[in-house]
């Protein structure tokens, strides 16, 4: 049901949101891989670099993962859609995996652009822009369908949530807790 829901939403079918469970267990299942991967990455970083970098990276990624469901809950409460938040947050968590096929399609688009004579740098920027717009739209559709909101409120939620998630990536680096670029080469 999850893959079918992701596929339907990816095609623009808002009814795909109904393929996701709205229970607490469904939500936890959607969070598990989003927490497991940063945990494994932190362990690898701790072994190969240092524990401080690993811990800060783990905490930043966990905050980035958890801020979205918190924001969905708060916006759902604010807009009078509280009963719909859990299904929406579950769908958003699973939608992370849409990144993989989007990257695959993007790489083909980039290769085609280069074959038609577009400079590599320009092709990369164009492809990244197209992928970003699609993923932005995808999140917007999930929020709109999941919380039964109008387009403007969904847009507001996408902008606020993207900014908050971005802060959890930027702040640790700005405070000097991010990995040293020289150390990243050793990974």
């Amino acid at each position: 049901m999850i893959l079918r829901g992701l596929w339907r939403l990816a095609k623009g079918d808002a009814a795909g949101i109904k393929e996701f469970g709205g229970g607490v267990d469904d939500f936890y299942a959607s969070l598990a891989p989003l927490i497991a991967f940063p945990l494994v990455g932190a362990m690898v970083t701790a072994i190969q670099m240092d524990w401080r970098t690993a811990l800060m990276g783990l905490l930043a990624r966990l905050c980035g993962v958890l801020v979205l469901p918190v924001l969905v809950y708060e916006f759902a409460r604010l807009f009078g859609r509280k009963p719909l938040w859990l299904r929406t947050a579950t769908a958003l968590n699973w939608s992370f995996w849409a990144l993989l096929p989007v990257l695959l399609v993007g790489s083909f688009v980039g290769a085609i652009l280069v074959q038609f004579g577009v400079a590599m740098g320009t092709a990369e920027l164009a492809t990244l822009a197209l992928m970003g717009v699609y993923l932005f739209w995808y999140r917007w559709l999930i929020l709109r369908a999941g919380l039964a909101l109008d387009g403007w409120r969904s847009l507001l939620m996408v902008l606020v949530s993207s900014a908050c998630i971005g802060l959890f990536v930027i702040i640790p680096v700005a405070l000097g807790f991010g990995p040293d670029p020289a150390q990243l080469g050793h990974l």
Side-chain angles (χ1 to χ4, degrees):
M1 286 183 15
I2 293 166
L3 289 176
R4 187 172 48 221
L6 290 173
W7 176 247
R8 289 177 68 186
L9 289 167
K11 296 187 310 179
D13 180 3
I17 196 74
K18 294 176 185 167
E19 301 286 344
F20 297 91
V24 174
D25 289 341
D26 299 308
F27 176 68
Y28 289 155
S30 72
L31 268 181
L34 298 179
I35 292 173
F37 284 112
L39 186 59
V40 170
M43 288 190 299
V44 169
T45 302
I47 291 168
Q48 293 185 353
M49 293 200 303
D50 69 282
W51 67 269
R52 182 179 149 200
T53 300
L55 181 61
M56 289 308 295
L58 175 65
L59 292 175
R61 285 179 186 86
L62 288 179
C63 289
V65 164
L66 296 174
V67 72
L68 187 57
V70 170
L71 288 172
V72 169
Y73 174 81
E74 288 302 323
F75 274 106
R77 189 180 57 76
L78 177 70
F79 297 140
R81 305 286 201 270
K82 194 173 169 183
L84 303 173
W85 88 271
L86 205 51
R87 178 185 309 266
T88 306
T90 300
L92 283 168
N93 287 343
W94 284 118
S95 75
F96 170 80
W97 299 104
L99 180 63
L100 298 175
V102 168
L103 286 171
L104 181 64
V105 170
S107 67
F108 284 122
V109 169
I112 290 169
L113 289 174
V114 169
Q115 290 299 316
F116 279 106
V118 176
M120 180 66 83
T122 304
E124 287 174 350
L125 287 175
T127 303
L128 286 173
L130 287 172
M131 290 186 312
V133 167
Y134 177 77
L135 292 170
F136 188 89
W137 169 84
Y138 192 55
R139 183 178 284 179
W140 173 84
L141 178 66
I142 292 171
L143 287 166
R144 185 169 183 240
L147 295 178
L149 296 174
D150 62 57
W152 291 109
R153 287 181 179 178
S154 301
L155 178 62
L156 173 66
M157 289 182 67
V158 171
L159 293 173
V160 169
S161 65
S162 296
C164 289
I165 292 168
L167 287 175
F168 284 110
V169 173
I170 294 168
I171 288 176
V173 173
L175 294 176
F177 292 115
D180 179 9
Q183 288 178 325
L184 290 177
H186 298 291
L187 289 176

